Amino acid sequence: MQLKFLIFTLLFCNHLTYAQDEIPRNYFESPLEIPLLLSGTFGELRSNHFHAGMDIKTNGVTGLAVSASAKGYVGRIKIQHGGYGKALYVYHPNGYQSVYAHLDNFSPKIEALVRKAQYKKESYEIELFPSALELKVKQGEVIGYSGNSGSSGGPHLHFEIRDFKSKPMNPFLFGFDEVKDSRKPQIFALHAYSLGPDSHVNGSTDRLQLKLIQRQDGNYRTEPIKAFGTIGFGIDAYDILDLTYNKNGVYSVVTKLNGKPVFETTFDKFSFYESRYINRLIDFEYYATEKRRIQKLFLEPNNPLSLYKDVYNNGTVTIQKDNLDQSFEILVSDFMGNTRSILIPLTTDFDENLIQKEIKETEYFAKANSASVFEEGKIDIYIPKNALYEDIFLDIDIEGLSVKLHEPTTPLHKSMTIGFDVSQYSLEDQDKLYIASVTSWGSKYYVSTYKKKDRLTTKVNEFGTYQLFEDNKAPTITPKNFRDKQWVSNFRFLKLEIDDEDTGIESYRATVNGEFILMEYDYKTKTLTYDFNDGKISDTKNELKVVVTDKVGNTAIFEAEFLRKN
């Protein structure tokens, strides 16, 4: 007990000491031996979050040795079907953490520890927290092998560095100078916003894309814009590193009015809890319709992101009737300091005959700073406090057991709850009901459904159409690389495909001769895989049984015999 307390005290003191120190340059080294080429950089704008690390290319293959970036110990191991897939978290003596995600497998000593725990729990998904003395690692020691597990879109290594509060930090702050970037960021589009009741830009009160004119030095300017009232700007920009073609995020954006800084965003560090505020940083409506992200260069209410610096007047420009001509400049930079600028001349133009934007009023009015409850027929809706970024009239259409709940172009920061009264169904039928999100083209997707008495509920973080459906079909189970009564002596793996058309796979369990075996599920390929190298099967004649259950309880059973010489 005293030893554990001493270890905790030493680690805690390290955290306090190094939290106040300067960032240690070159303390971490590359976790791969191949040249460091990136497909993703820190702070990139992703769906509902900021990218928390850097994605390192692995030449399109899996199985490359992944080494500890610095000495420490493996303090957390997490395996899940989605998310980071197979991930390791290394805790370092200076209080920092490094994270290695989407791995294919672990080093033998880590793999043995994990496999033992998985068999004990009889579960592929698992989370472990080894002690500081259990899995010590040296800098450069192989801890795993690169892969494509979890929600990875292709083979790569996701690598992070976090501070002692588990806040992800930009790895470039620590060095990694072997990553070369001599190119200036690219600016795809510039947009202007009219933010006040009488504001307008070039005669328009709507979002307005401005034409960019490239100068000889590679920077941009616009024609003088005629504006009045409070206006702001947004950019669609990206960066491309040397030797790669991926469109990465930019590091910093600074704006100036008449040479004076008025706004800055810099991606050095953020907290996971604030990551969803990305939906306030970007023009969410534009992203929902155009699938491109405009980074707004001004602050709106309910945007507490820590990425902003030197913000004056919320980053906006206020143009009055008697203003002289002004100049607005946008400077877009990558971490290496390569910068591209846009110069925007501003002139005053007041239009008293301007047609104002019309706000569509409905009977469903929701406030951002308080909870809202709506109920009609057999459906009820609860929107918690601070789920909305601003007060809004909602467009709600309820028909039977289907609800069209506003438009997906409006972001939600927290999940809302939708409830369905299913008392008209028998108890047996209720067990097969589920709630699905229905797209505008008619496809339906299961959303987590909870049952309590005669009520089904779901929590969702997007507006859209939600409807009640019934699922009476069991999952399907199909062998991929073997058949019944086949000799598989030379096989390394046993593979099956499992699928469920309506609600998706909830659970699976496999046994051989009545004993549990560990099978790995890859939801992207719908494949269950057993590795004979785990040494659990020693008989010649073996009875395989696989039970798969979907998310409303429909169950399928697959049985087969295979023969194997050991």
Side-chain angles (χ1 to χ4, degrees):
M1 186 69 181
Q2 290 179 342
L3 179 60
K4 289 184 178 179
F5 179 77
L6 177 61
I7 293 171
F8 172 81
T9 302
L10 289 173
L11 291 173
F12 183 73
C13 289
N14 273 335
H15 288 172
L16 291 180
T17 301
Y18 283 93
Q20 301 173 27
D21 288 348
E22 293 184 2
I23 294 173
R25 293 277 298 179
N26 302 316
Y27 177 85
F28 296 96
E29 65 180 22
S30 173
L32 295 175
E33 292 185 353
I34 61 174
L36 200 57
L37 300 178
L38 306 185
S39 59
T41 55
F42 182 83
E44 279 182 13
L45 309 181
R46 302 286 179 88
S47 296
N48 292 316
H49 70 282
F50 301 108
H51 191 231
M54 58 185 187
D55 289 340
I56 306 175
K57 290 174 176 284
T58 58
N59 297 328
V61 301
T62 62
L64 300 186
V66 175
S67 303
S69 189
K71 70 177 182 179
Y73 71 95
V74 178
R76 183 185 179 197
I77 306 168
K78 187 171 184 179
I79 300 177
Q80 56 186 328
H81 295 133
Y84 280 3
K86 296 181 179 181
L88 293 175
Y89 299 72
V90 176
Y91 295 74
H92 304 285
N94 61 0
Y96 290 96
Q97 305 167 30
S98 56
V99 183
Y100 313 77
H102 305 306
L103 299 174
D104 188 62
N105 48 59
F106 308 123
S107 67
K109 68 177 180 181
I110 299 175
E111 191 74 34
L113 177 72
V114 170
R115 188 60 56 95
K116 182 179 179 181
Q118 287 174 314
Y119 267 97
K120 183 178 180 180
K121 188 182 177 183
E122 295 193 354
S123 172
Y124 169 73
E125 291 193 307
I126 199 166
E127 187 170 16
L128 304 174
F129 297 91
S131 71
L133 301 177
E134 199 167 359
L135 288 175
K136 290 183 178 180
V137 294
K138 299 176 182 178
Q139 186 176 50
E141 179 180 341
V142 174
I143 56 176
Y145 298 88
S146 67
N148 187 31
S149 60
S151 58
S152 167
H156 74 281
L157 175 67
H158 175 87
F159 175 73
E160 296 178 17
I161 298 176
R162 300 181 183 180
D163 70 7
F164 75 103
K165 291 184 178 180
S166 291
K167 292 183 178 181
M169 300 181 66
N170 195 326
F172 287 151
L173 294 170
F174 298 84
F176 301 100
D177 297 331
E178 58 265 49
V179 177
K180 301 302 179 183
D181 184 5
S182 60
R183 308 180 190 180
K184 294 182 178 182
Q186 300 295 313
I187 299 173
F188 182 80
L190 169 68
H191 298 257
Y193 292 81
S194 301
L195 303 175
D198 297 320
S199 302
H200 53 86
V201 176
N202 288 348
S204 173
T205 60
D206 296 321
R207 176 200 314 110
L208 184 67
Q209 183 169 348
L210 302 175
K211 181 181 179 181
L212 291 170
I213 304 169
Q214 193 161 27
R215 303 188 298 195
Q216 288 186 347
D217 60 2
N219 294 316
Y220 292 95
R221 67 175 179 84
T222 69
E223 296 289 350
I225 67 171
K226 299 178 179 179
F228 179 80
T230 301
I231 65 171
F233 296 93
I235 59 166
D236 182 354
Y238 58 89
D239 188 43
I240 299 179
L241 306 176
D242 293 357
L243 305 177
T244 65
Y245 57 85
N246 304 84
K247 294 180 179 179
N248 303 126
V250 299
Y251 171 65
S252 172
V253 183
V254 175
T255 67
K256 297 179 180 181
L257 180 62
N258 302 323
K260 178 182 177 181
V262 294
F263 183 88
E264 179 180 347
T265 57
T266 303
F267 284 94
D268 285 330
K269 179 197 293 191
F270 63 85
S271 298
F272 282 109
Y273 82 87
E274 63 178 334
S275 195
R276 192 170 174 83
Y277 281 106
I278 186 176
N279 294 331
R280 199 58 167 161
L281 176 142
I282 67 170
D283 184 331
F284 187 87
E285 179 183 18
Y286 188 85
Y287 171 68
T289 56
E290 304 298 328
K291 301 306 175 188
R292 295 196 64 92
R293 295 180 178 92
I294 300 172
Q295 181 177 336
K296 292 183 289 189
L297 307 181
F298 54 90
L299 284 182
E300 296 171 295
N302 294 322
N303 183 357
L305 282 170
S306 60
L307 305 168
Y308 303 114
K309 300 178 184 178
D310 300 327
V311 177
Y312 174 77
N313 197 32
N314 292 322
T316 63
V317 182
T318 300
I319 302 173
Q320 300 175 344
K321 291 182 180 180
D322 55 352
N323 278 154
L324 299 176
D325 289 353
Q326 301 182 76
S327 175
F328 194 84
E329 188 177 19
I330 302 171
L331 304 168
V332 185
S333 305
D334 59 31
F335 190 87
M336 310 306 173
N338 303 302
T339 301
R340 198 178 297 272
S341 65
I342 308 173
L343 184 64
I344 308 168
L346 303 173
T347 62
T348 301
D349 177 43
F350 175 68
D351 186 352
E352 59 184 12
N353 298 316
L354 196 70
I355 300 176
Q356 300 296 328
K357 297 178 183 177
E358 183 179 351
I359 298 176
K360 181 182 177 182
E361 296 188 5
T362 71
E363 58 183 302
Y364 306 105
F365 183 68
K367 292 187 174 182
N369 62 356
S370 61
S372 301
V373 179
F374 307 105
E375 186 173 359
E376 183 178 324
K378 294 184 177 296
I379 297 177
D380 57 86
I381 301 152
Y382 172 73
I383 303 175
K385 179 181 178 180
N386 297 325
L388 294 163
Y389 295 109
E390 55 193 34
D391 299 348
I392 190 172
F393 286 99
L394 298 176
D395 186 8
I396 301 176
D397 183 15
I398 296 176
E399 185 175 342
L401 291 173
S402 174
V403 54
K404 181 180 180 297
L405 185 48
H406 203 57
E407 299 293 339
T409 53
T410 297
L412 274 170
H413 190 72
K414 294 181 179 179
S415 294
M416 60 182 174
T417 300
I418 307 174
F420 291 77
D421 178 356
V422 293
S423 57
Q424 71 272 34
Y425 291 89
S426 68
L427 292 178
E428 182 179 356
D429 288 341
Q430 285 182 16
D431 288 339
K432 303 302 179 185
L433 296 176
Y434 69 96
I435 304 169
S437 169
V438 182
T439 66
S440 58
W441 56 90
S443 297
K444 63 180 188 291
Y445 298 93
Y446 171 88
V447 292
S448 297
T449 303
Y450 307 93
K451 183 177 182 295
K452 187 174 182 180
K453 295 184 178 180
D454 291 331
R455 189 165 179 263
L456 295 185
T457 61
T458 186
K459 288 188 174 183
V460 292
N461 56 17
E462 292 181 344
F463 286 116
T465 299
Y466 296 91
Q467 187 173 339
L468 208 63
F469 291 94
E470 188 173 1
D471 180 7
N472 287 301
K473 291 182 287 187
T476 58
I477 309 173
T478 309
K480 291 187 71 172
N481 68 337
F482 71 99
R483 62 183 182 275
D484 190 28
K485 294 181 171 53
Q486 182 179 353
W487 282 89
V488 294
S489 301
N490 296 324
F491 285 32
R492 165 75 187 274
F493 301 106
L494 212 58
K495 296 178 180 287
L496 301 98
E497 180 179 298
I498 61 175
D499 194 14
D500 187 75
E501 183 179 342
D502 290 328
T503 56
I505 305 298
E506 173 66 22
S507 64
Y508 62 90
R509 191 175 192 275
T511 59
V512 168
N513 303 328
E515 297 293 325
F516 171 82
I517 61 168
L518 184 67
M519 298 198 80
E520 180 174 337
Y521 176 46
D522 183 349
Y523 74 94
K524 293 176 294 195
T525 60
K526 304 176 183 179
T527 302
L528 272 181
T529 302
Y530 173 71
D531 186 350
F532 282 110
N533 280 359
D534 77 351
K536 296 295 181 180
I537 297 175
S538 58
D539 295 339
T540 300
K541 183 178 180 180
N542 299 280
E543 298 293 335
L544 172 68
K545 183 178 181 179
V546 180
V547 180
V548 180
T549 304
D550 68 18
K551 292 177 179 177
V552 297
N554 297 310
T555 298
I557 299 175
F558 173 85
E559 294 180 292
E561 178 183 292
F562 64 87
L563 304 163
R564 183 175 175 85
K565 290 181 180 180
N566 292 286

